[in-house]
Each structure stands twice: as structure tokens, then as C-alpha cells.
Amino acid sequence: MCKTFDAIQKLAKKAESDSIIIWVGHKKVSGRLYTCDEGKCLDEVITLQDAVIEHCHHGEECQFHEFKWLNIPSHAIKAFTFKCCVK
């Protein structure tokens, strides 16, 4: 199993919020983390509800795309944080 997947699921149990920010390449993805409490998650896939992808090009306006559900393979995640940790 992927260490990133394990870390996200473990920290989610201790975080004050289920809202997470994930960086995949140059894109920032935010949403509510679907946790695996009931064992219904796919291994190594992070699922977000009400997800928003933000992609900003240098010198151009940012583009936003919204999804009701979004699955992200954990091996593609470069960094993550929970919104409760953002100042």
C-alpha cells in the first residue's frame, strides 16, 4: 500500500476538519475527504467530495473546475494538508 495513502487516512482521523488540500503536479485540489471508516475505499485512491481543481498559469487567470466526486491515485500526490492547518 502507498505510504501517502496511509498517511492521509491516518492523519484524517486526528484532523479537526475533513477538508483537505492536495497538490498534484501544478494543480491544487481541494475538497472533503471521503474516509475509509467503513472499509469502502479503494486501496491507494484518495476520494474527494465537492472537489475543486485550481490550475494557474504564470501571468494568466486561474482556471477552476468543480466535481461532485473526484478520485486521485495516491502515487500522483506531491503534497497535502488539511484546511484546519492553513493560516
Side-chain angles (χ1 to χ4, degrees), residues 15-47:
E16 296 173 10
S17 171
D18 64 348
S19 295
I20 190 169
I21 301 170
I22 296 173
W23 285 267
V24 180
H26 296 289
K27 294 176 177 74
K28 177 178 153 182
V29 183
S30 59
R32 289 184 303 125
L33 179 65
Y34 181 77
T35 57
C36 297
D37 293 335
E38 299 174 14
K40 294 182 180 179
C41 287
L42 297 173
D43 286 343
E44 301 184 26
V45 175
I46 300 300
T47 301

Side-chain angles (χ1 to χ4, degrees), residues 16-87:
E16 296 173 10
S17 171
D18 64 348
S19 295
I20 190 169
I21 301 170
I22 296 173
W23 285 267
V24 180
H26 296 289
K27 294 176 177 74
K28 177 178 153 182
V29 183
S30 59
R32 289 184 303 125
L33 179 65
Y34 181 77
T35 57
C36 297
D37 293 335
E38 299 174 14
K40 294 182 180 179
C41 287
L42 297 173
D43 286 343
E44 301 184 26
V45 175
I46 300 300
T47 301
L48 301 181
Q49 297 173 315
D50 303 321
V52 177
I53 297 176
E54 178 181 346
H55 188 239
C56 301
H57 295 282
H58 297 290
E60 297 180 17
E61 287 188 33
C62 294
Q63 297 177 352
F64 297 90
H65 302 281
E66 297 180 13
F67 298 90
K68 184 87 173 149
W69 290 91
L70 183 67
N71 294 309
I72 302 170
S74 57
H75 70 272
I77 296 172
K78 302 297 181 196
F80 69 91
T81 188
F82 289 87
K83 283 195 178 179
C84 59
C85 301
V86 178
K87 292 183 179 182

